[in-house]
């Protein structure tokens, strides 16, 4: 069995353009590394992918990745990149990622382009779950850079480059008991699911936190059981500029909404409101982003 660390960068519909249904993100860069410490992770796959649907790079994506539309003009179309990736992966492999998002995005892109997805293994591993539970005793979201710091591993390569992230993930594979992680993976997944928001509303462009508190869109949630709109009460103050509010479904009972505002480097504030089951609130602090 070959273990392949795998990372994607993706574009989103630029401002003013609606996302295509059931597509969402369009892959613009693929990085993958065969985990083999003996070779120093020398067997690598990299592709810049020229987007077909969202041909302008969303500003936030450029700010995060540094990937520009002109760089992608030299990229290959997604079907070519996918075919090459499939051939490079070979038979009998598993993807290992740093988050649970990359493999579903790959599948959605394959479907959108009408390509076979049967070669993508059903089972894949989110190393972030294995790493944090083994190292910290509980699930905690963290960046690759933070995990490398925790392990005192140098990481001179820039973040949010698919190849660099795949390489860092490969390095971190060697810091955990990976065999144990795979054998007990269901436990790690259950740990990660505890205290995770059921759903999240995000907002940005607020001048002050009070503007975010007044934004009704952040308070709009539906019951995860029946899909009915939840009745959300007034915000209550928590330490700092955090707020929480009780939420209720007439049929399915109590939930809780937690709001967090953060200043943005370019000025103003952004906000994240998460819907939680009330008994899980103790875990939400750490898990939020
Ligand atoms: Zn309900």
């Amino acid at each position: 069995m070959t273990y392949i660390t795998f990372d994607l960068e993706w574009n989103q519909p630029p401002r003013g353009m609606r996302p295509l249904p059931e597509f969402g993100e369009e892959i613009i860069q693929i990085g993958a590394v065969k985990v083999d410490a003996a070779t120093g992770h020398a067997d690598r796959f990299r592709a810049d992918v020229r987007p077909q649907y969202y041909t302008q790079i969303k500003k936030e994506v450029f700010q995060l990745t540094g990937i520009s539309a002109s760089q992608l003009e030299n990229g290959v179309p997604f079907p070519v990149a996918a075919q090459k990736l499939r051939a490079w992966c070979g038979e009998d492999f598993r993807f290992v990622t740093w988050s649970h998002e990359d493999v579903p995005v790959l599948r959605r892109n394959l479907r959108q382009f009408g390509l076979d997805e049967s070669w993508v293994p059903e089972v894949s591993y989110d190393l972030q779950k294995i790493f944090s539970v083994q190292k910290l005793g509980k699930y905690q979201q963290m960046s690759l850079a933070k995990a490398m710091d925790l392990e005192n591993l140098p990481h001179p390569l820039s973040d949010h480059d698919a190849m660099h992230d795949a390489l860092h993930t490969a390095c971190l594979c060697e810091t955990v008991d990976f065999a144990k992680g795979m054998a007990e993976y269901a436990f790690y997944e259950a740990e990660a699911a505890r205290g995770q928001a059921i759903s999240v509303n995000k907002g940005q462009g607020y001048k002050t936190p009070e503007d975010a508190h007044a934004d009704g869109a952040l308070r709009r949630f539906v019951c995860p059981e029946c899909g009915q709109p939840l009745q959300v009460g007034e915000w209550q103050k928590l330490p700092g500029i955090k707020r929480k509010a009780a939420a209720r479904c007439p049929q399915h009972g109590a939930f809780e909404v937690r709001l967090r505002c953060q200043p943005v480097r370019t000025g103003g504030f952004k906000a994240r409101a998460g819907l939680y089951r009330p008994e899980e609130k103790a875990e939400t602090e750490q898990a939020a982003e």
Side-chain angles (χ1 to χ4, degrees):
M1 182 70 70
T2 309
Y3 294 95
I4 294 176
T5 60
F6 173 68
D7 188 80
L8 299 170
E9 303 302 327
W10 54 70
N11 192 17
Q12 292 168 326
R15 205 170 267 264
M17 184 179 172
R18 290 176 141 236
L20 296 171
E22 292 173 32
F23 181 46
E25 305 82 8
E26 181 166 24
I27 294 171
I28 52 175
Q29 196 174 63
I30 303 171
V33 175
K34 287 182 183 160
V35 180
D36 181 356
T39 66
H41 310 305
D43 197 353
R44 300 171 188 183
F45 177 91
R46 185 194 174 105
D48 280 343
V49 181
R50 191 166 64 232
Q52 178 176 318
Y53 294 96
Y54 312 140
T55 52
Q56 282 176 301
I57 303 297
K58 192 180 183 186
K59 195 172 114 197
E60 289 82 355
V61 171
F62 175 71
Q63 286 167 344
L64 186 71
T65 64
I67 299 171
S68 65
S70 59
Q71 176 183 342
L72 294 178
E73 274 168 28
N74 301 317
V76 295
F78 180 72
V80 175
Q83 181 52 43
K84 285 185 173 171
L85 174 68
R86 178 182 184 168
W88 176 83
C89 287
E91 306 284 327
D92 247 6
F93 68 95
R94 294 280 184 268
F95 282 132
V96 182
T97 55
W98 190 262
S99 96
H100 56 274
E101 291 182 296
D102 297 77
V103 174
V105 170
L106 174 64
R107 287 186 182 280
R108 284 202 293 275
N109 275 252
L110 290 167
R111 252 174 263 154
Q112 180 70 25
F113 282 86
L115 301 169
D116 176 27
E117 61 173 296
S118 66
W119 61 275
V120 179
E122 280 298 322
V123 176
S124 64
Y125 299 100
D126 173 2
L127 186 68
Q128 192 172 160
K129 296 189 176 102
I130 298 174
F131 182 90
S132 63
V133 174
Q134 286 191 2
K135 303 285 177 180
L136 308 171
K138 62 175 181 178
Y139 175 68
Q140 187 178 319
Q141 286 190 341
M142 71 175 85
S143 66
L144 272 168
K146 187 175 172 202
M148 297 290 279
D149 286 341
L150 277 177
E151 290 300 304
N152 290 316
L153 293 168
H155 49 102
L157 302 172
S158 57
D159 296 330
H160 299 296
D161 168 288
M163 172 56 68
H164 297 171
D165 288 357
L167 270 172
H168 291 153
T169 307
C171 291
L172 288 167
C173 273
E174 285 150 31
T175 72
V176 300
D177 186 340
F178 195 67
K180 185 170 185 272
M182 286 187 297
E184 299 176 352
Y185 193 64
F187 166 74
Y188 297 77
E189 282 196 304
E191 276 297 297
R194 266 163 28 108
Q196 287 289 82
I198 299 161
S199 61
V200 170
N201 291 329
K202 287 182 178 175
Q204 54 185 353
Y206 305 109
K207 284 205 180 76
T208 64
E210 287 71 29
D211 289 346
H213 301 157
D215 183 357
L218 291 172
R219 303 160 49 83
R220 222 165 280 145
F221 287 100
V222 297
C223 171
E225 311 294 337
C226 66
Q228 299 286 341
L230 292 174
Q231 298 152 4
V232 179
E234 294 302 312
W235 291 123
Q236 299 166 264
K237 206 169 179 323
L238 292 173
I241 52 175
K242 289 181 190 169
R243 294 289 187 277
K244 70 173 181 178
R248 186 156 192 88
C249 169
Q251 263 179 288
H252 297 102
F255 295 86
E256 184 171 277
V257 179
R258 291 196 153 218
L259 177 73
R260 194 169 68 158
C261 284
Q262 280 186 311
V264 181
R265 197 158 40 86
T266 48
F269 289 83
K270 65 177 181 177
R272 173 194 190 277
L275 178 69
Y276 297 91
R277 293 183 194 281
E279 68 271 19
E280 292 169 352
K281 66 189 173 192
E283 276 92 21
T284 58
E285 293 293 334
Q286 291 293 335
E289 261 172 338

